[in-house]
Amino acid sequence: MGDDGGGASDLLVIFGISGDLARKMTFRALYRLERHGLLDCPIPGVASDDTSVVQLVERAREAIGRNEQIDDVVFVPR
């Protein structure tokens, strides 16, 4: 494929976004990367259950808040 000059087409897909590993590790890792401005690509999550975005954000906030102070600015959609 040729480069059309439209920029990067990176995408990070997280499989199992509603699972235990995401709750224990992935949410915190993504939160920290975003807080430091290191995420610059879309990150869709894939799950086998029917979880809404609102539920997913609440799960992430709960998991992250157990170990560190949450910066609400990180959760503001861009």
Side-chain angles (χ1 to χ4, degrees):
M1 297 191 119
D3 183 5
D4 63 354
S9 59
D10 296 335
L11 182 73
L12 174 62
V13 179
I14 306 294
F15 292 92
I17 195 66
S18 64
D20 194 49
L21 180 61
R23 184 178 53 80
K24 290 181 178 178
M25 300 182 79
T26 307
F27 289 142
R28 282 192 293 257
L30 291 172
Y31 170 79
R32 290 173 183 159
L33 287 169
E34 179 64 18
R35 187 181 67 204
H36 293 304
L38 299 173
L39 289 179
D40 60 354
C41 68
I43 305 174
V46 179
S48 60
D49 61 352
D50 191 21
T51 303
S52 72
V53 173
V54 172
Q55 291 170 318
L56 192 60
V57 169
E58 186 56 39
R59 287 182 191 177
R61 290 179 72 92
E62 182 181 308
I64 296 162
R66 288 185 183 143
N67 295 71
E68 56 192 282
Q69 191 73 7
I70 292 179
D71 180 359
D72 289 325
V73 173
V74 175
F75 282 91
V76 174
R78 296 188 263 153

